[in-house]
Amino acid sequence: MTARIDWGRAAVIAIPLIWLVLFFIAPLFLVLKISVSEVALQRPPYLPLIQWADEGILQFTINFGNYAYLIEDSLYLNAYLESLKIAGVSTLFCLLIGYPMAY
């Protein structure tokens, strides 16, 4: 007995999955790649993560200093904490307004 592929069901699953990968997951990985890259004054403004070193050795260069800088600089830390506060307050208001309407 052979398994038959239902192309209609496969398309219903595949189309949103492709959309999600193209417009959500791929940009997320690009931003993650840039965030752990070394800064450079060129185009693109970061160095590659993987490159060939001398004698054919593959070299990985990951820099977490950008994340340390976010924590050390009070401007970025305060902006992050303020955005968390705004997100919490807006979530609370959405619950206070939406829950009675849904009930």
Side-chain angles (χ1 to χ4, degrees), residues 39-78:
V39 178
L41 297 174
Q42 60 188 13
R43 287 201 182 255
Y46 54 88
L47 296 175
L49 292 177
I50 303 171
Q51 57 188 347
W52 290 100
D54 297 335
E55 301 172 5
I57 299 172
L58 195 60
Q59 179 181 2
F60 292 93
T61 308
I62 297 176
N63 180 16
F64 291 107
N66 298 329
Y67 291 105
Y69 184 69
L70 286 175
I71 296 170
E72 292 170 357
D73 193 359
S74 64
L75 175 70
Y76 295 117
L77 186 60
N78 289 337

Side-chain angles (χ1 to χ4, degrees), residues 71-103:
I71 296 170
E72 292 170 357
D73 193 359
S74 64
L75 175 70
Y76 295 117
L77 186 60
N78 289 337
Y80 178 69
L81 293 175
E82 187 68 24
S83 67
L84 285 179
K85 184 175 86 172
I86 291 170
V89 169
S90 64
T91 301
L92 180 67
F93 280 135
C94 286
L95 284 173
L96 289 175
I97 294 169
Y99 192 80
M101 291 177 113
Y103 185 69

